Amino acid sequence: SISETMTAQQVSEILNEYFSEMEPIISKYNGIINKFIGDAILAIFGEPIQDKNHPVNAIKCACEMLQKVKELQQKWEKENKPKIEIGIGINTGEVFVGNIGSQNRMEYTVIGDTVNIASRLESYNKTYNTKILISSSTYEKIEQEVLANKIPDVQIRGKAHKMDIYEIIGIKKA
């Protein structure tokens, strides 16, 4: 919606600043930015960087990204720029990671139902007024390390069966 009130150049400057702040956080937790999709970031954890703790690192990354966005919001408010909100969806499972495309143009990417569910979870942050939503497959791997609220029996678009999802509230202190 900020595109309605700003020039394309102004929007690109805000997005570039946002992406520039997010990239080191994602890298810090062994994530790889696969692509920027408009104002969204598709990040991969666990491939190609092997990391057995990738579910926990993805959650820690998400929490740190939210903190950085709060700092950016304060800065942008002083600069009379619009407030940007983010939502994060995390899912854990099997995916295809590799090159997809044609003989003339290949793209390294990640595809599969796991990716689709993560995307749906991200979009449901608006529905549930949340910031980080994760799947039950992710929750099962990290439940001892996070504070979360269960949202039961959610009908995920494109899925035949309802599933439980979880809102991440925070990370438990050691």
Side-chain angles (χ1 to χ4, degrees), residues 91 112-124 127-128 133 153-165:
N91 190 22
D113 193 48
T114 299
V115 180
N116 295 340
I117 291 172
S119 176
R120 301 290 189 268
L121 292 173
E122 185 277 326
S123 69
Y124 288 162
T127 302
Y128 292 103
L133 289 174
D153 297 325
V154 175
Q155 183 63 59
I156 302 291
R157 187 168 51 92
K159 300 300 292 177
H161 303 287
K162 292 182 178 181
M163 60 189 282
D164 297 338
I165 63 175

Side-chain angles (χ1 to χ4, degrees), residues 48-101:
I49 298 173
Q50 298 297 306
D51 178 4
K52 66 180 180 171
N53 294 320
H54 64 87
V56 171
N57 282 333
I59 301 295
K60 289 179 178 178
C61 176
C63 291
E64 193 167 322
M65 288 172 69
L66 287 176
Q67 182 56 45
K68 180 55 76 173
V69 167
K70 285 182 186 177
E71 294 170 17
L72 286 171
Q73 288 171 339
Q74 293 170 351
K75 176 184 178 289
W76 290 336
E77 183 177 25
K78 292 174 185 172
E79 296 170 354
N80 292 318
K81 293 179 180 173
K83 183 178 180 180
I84 291 177
E85 299 286 347
I86 66 168
I88 299 169
I90 300 172
N91 190 22
T92 304
E94 294 290 319
V95 295
F96 170 82
V97 181
N99 291 314
I100 298 286

Side-chain angles (χ1 to χ4, degrees), residues 23 26-27 30-37 40-45 47-48 95-100 105-111 115:
E23 187 278 326
I26 293 166
S27 294
N30 296 324
I32 300 292
I33 293 178
N34 178 247
K35 63 181 80 171
F36 300 116
I37 309 164
I41 300 170
L42 174 57
I44 305 167
F45 292 80
E47 283 290 336
V95 295
F96 170 82
V97 181
N99 291 314
I100 298 286
R105 186 181 187 291
M106 296 295 277
E107 182 175 298
Y108 182 81
T109 193
V110 57
I111 58 173
V115 180

